[in-house]
Amino acid sequence: MTERPAQPAPLRPAAPRDPVVVVVAGALYDRGRLLAARRSAPVELAGRWELPGGKLEPGESPEEALIRELREELGVEVEPGERIPGEWPLKPGYVLRVWTARLLSGEPRPLEDHDALRWLSRSELDSVDWLDQDRPAVAEAARRLPAV
Ligand code: CDP
């Protein structure tokens, strides 16, 4: 029986990493104001305010997800802008990433996930009870509020 040449050790596949669910939210601007949305569910988040958005679906870019989510939740068309630097943990396995966005058409309505909306000027930003995880992004979004 002939000896077979030594084979290199097979490469081990990279250890699978826990998939992270990315939630994309929008800092939506219109005439120098930022849109805040009050969650209607789940109970532990209901009544708190957030930047509207939702989970990235397989095959979607974050910008595509943002356009889809704001269409579904608010009934508006938006143009995504820049990503606000940073990433904020939500529940285990979920992270929040935020993009600026400009309103192209429609008047936002709380169609899904929310029961109230408010356009806030810079001086009004502290008047709602933001979800803790959204606060750093809201602070950054405020710095980018376009002058009217
Ligand atoms: O709409 P979809 O079901 O894809 O997502 P969602 O329920 O709106 O958001 C997924 C999770 O991200 C929820 O736990 C939200 O509370 C959280 N979230 C957040 O913490 N801050 C935001 N600005 C948007 C979502």
Side-chain angles (χ1 to χ4, degrees):
M1 173 174 158
T2 49
E3 286 272 310
R4 295 174 57 204
Q7 296 289 312
L11 288 175
R12 275 204 298 150
R17 290 203 285 160
D18 289 340
V20 170
V21 177
V22 175
V23 176
V24 179
L28 182 59
Y29 299 117
D30 186 41
R31 285 168 282 171
R33 299 165 307 162
L34 176 70
L35 189 71
R38 190 173 67 190
R39 286 200 72 98
S40 51
V43 280
E44 62 273 20
L45 303 179
R48 307 284 301 277
W49 294 74
E50 69 174 14
L51 301 171
K55 296 184 279 294
L56 193 67
E57 288 181 357
E60 256 183 347
S61 71
E63 289 87 354
E64 286 167 345
L66 186 63
I67 291 170
R68 175 184 53 73
E69 285 287 346
L70 299 193
R71 189 182 288 146
E72 289 171 3
E73 293 188 355
L74 309 173
V76 295
E77 296 301 317
V78 307
E79 178 183 51
E82 57 167 331
R83 178 168 169 197
I84 292 185
E87 179 175 278
W88 299 280
L90 304 174
K91 54 197 170 188
Y94 285 68
V95 294
L96 175 66
R97 297 180 187 162
V98 178
W99 268 256
T100 64
R102 191 170 68 86
L103 187 63
L104 291 180
S105 66
E107 184 59 33
R109 287 164 294 147
L111 302 177
E112 225 179 76
D113 294 343
H114 305 111
D115 61 6
L117 301 175
R118 279 185 65 188
W119 285 110
L120 302 173
S121 64
R122 198 188 300 270
S123 63
E124 294 169 326
L125 286 174
D126 290 335
S127 64
V128 301
D129 184 20
W130 292 102
L131 286 172
D132 296 338
Q133 59 265 27
D134 282 49
R135 287 177 191 271
V138 170
E140 284 297 315
R143 293 180 49 222
R144 291 165 170 78
L145 260 176
V148 271

